[in-house]
Amino acid sequence: MGRGRAKAKQTKVARDLKYRTFDPDFSDLQRELHGESGDPIPDQYSDLAEREDPAAS
């Protein structure tokens, strides 16, 4: 017992996701994927940015 409310909420969320309409900004996504954000790398992460990416090899 007690599952009715949880199931109703899950159904509501699923319906919302299914029927939601949105307009994605593909140019913004492209800039993010290509690393053209223009945001400077914080000093605490600069050593990680200088390392070579092991997944790229």
Side-chain angles (χ1 to χ4, degrees):
M1 292 184 61
R3 189 174 181 298
R5 229 182 255 190
K7 185 170 178 6
K9 179 161 181 145
Q10 289 173 351
T11 303
K12 179 182 176 187
V13 170
R15 227 178 252 132
D16 182 44
L17 291 172
K18 182 177 180 181
Y19 296 113
R20 180 184 298 170
T21 59
F22 61 92
D23 297 322
D25 183 5
F26 291 114
S27 61
D28 188 36
L29 177 62
Q30 183 179 14
R31 280 192 304 274
E32 182 178 340
L33 291 175
H34 289 294
E36 300 171 6
S37 65
D39 296 333
I41 299 172
D43 291 337
Q44 60 191 13
Y45 301 117
S46 62
D47 61 333
L48 295 174
E50 293 171 1
R51 286 191 203 166
E52 202 174 304
D53 186 13
S57 325

